[in-house]
Amino acid sequence: MKKILFGLLLLLTLALAACGSTSENVSGKVDTDKANSTEQEAGEKASEEASNDENEINQLIVDNENVKATLVKIVKKSDDIWGNTIEVVFDVENKRSDTIEVQANTVSADGRMVDETLLSMSQEVAPGKAATATLTINEFEGYDFPALESDFEMTLHIFSWDDYDYTEDLPVKVTF
């Protein structure tokens, strides 16, 4: 019985090794040109399937004794596999002595509120540090995905878990 189990295990190991093997040329070296060209073709195909529409904004939202926040850009992405996505990218600098949290509230596009189910944004920023905070709006079946044709509005909600008295709600508005 042990011999049969050992034989099956050996066959399984050889089968898995054959699946993961790389091609070698006569000198015994791995043929990386084939592997690189295959990876390049896959990357080109993926870029054909996905398209991006990027709007550079660089709009200062706030610069006070607590925080500096800039709306950097808004990127619309369309992917055959993952669907439509909008990314609203902020650069946030924490000037406080405690960690802050950056979130998005009351998001609207083209005069209509965006369902919170589609939204994702929460970024911690340590004291004296800067970070990229990205609001991601994902398309889900059964929910209205914003076209983002005329305007975008939201509230940048900044607070500290360490100091419950500190909170800032900053309006963000972009017209296209």
Side-chain angles (χ1 to χ4, degrees):
M1 183 69 176
K2 288 183 182 178
K3 289 182 182 179
I4 293 174
L5 245 96
F6 178 75
L8 287 173
L9 191 59
L10 182 63
L11 282 174
L12 181 61
T13 305
L14 291 173
L16 288 173
C19 290
S21 68
T22 59
S23 61
E24 294 184 8
N25 60 19
V26 178
S27 67
K29 294 182 180 177
V30 175
D31 190 356
T32 57
D33 289 339
K34 282 185 181 179
N36 288 342
S37 67
T38 304
E39 288 175 12
Q40 184 178 5
E41 289 170 6
E44 289 172 358
K45 185 177 180 183
S47 66
E48 289 173 6
E49 292 174 359
S51 65
N52 295 342
D53 181 19
E54 187 172 311
N55 291 323
E56 289 287 330
I57 308 291
N58 293 318
Q59 176 182 341
L60 182 65
I61 305 302
V62 66
D63 189 1
N64 61 27
E65 67 277 355
N66 294 313
V67 67
K68 179 180 180 182
T70 304
L71 172 57
V72 178
K73 62 185 173 182
I74 298 176
V75 182
K76 294 184 199 177
K77 296 180 178 182
S78 179
D79 185 273
D80 291 341
I81 296 170
W82 301 108
N84 294 319
T85 304
I86 298 171
E87 292 181 348
V88 183
V89 181
F90 294 89
D91 183 63
V92 180
E93 179 185 342
N94 182 2
K95 298 179 182 180
R96 295 176 54 86
S97 61
D98 56 344
T99 300
I100 60 171
E101 187 86 19
V102 181
Q103 297 179 348
N105 286 341
T106 61
V107 178
S108 70
D110 304 327
R112 295 193 53 83
M113 296 300 296
V114 178
D115 193 295
E116 289 185 8
T117 307
L118 306 177
L119 306 176
S120 171
M121 179 180 181
S122 187
Q123 178 66 50
E124 277 191 358
V125 186
K129 303 290 183 183
T132 301
T134 303
L135 165 63
T136 304
I137 305 171
N138 290 306
E139 181 178 38
F140 289 122
E141 188 175 326
Y143 295 93
D144 291 332
F145 186 75
L148 212 58
E149 295 172 340
S150 61
D151 63 72
F152 172 80
E153 293 183 53
M154 65 172 273
T155 301
L156 194 63
H157 180 64
I158 303 173
F159 64 96
S160 172
W161 291 107
D162 300 324
D163 180 2
Y164 291 121
D165 291 330
Y166 170 69
T167 183
E168 290 191 52
D169 287 320
L170 308 164
V172 176
K173 184 171 182 172
V174 178
T175 304
F176 302 105

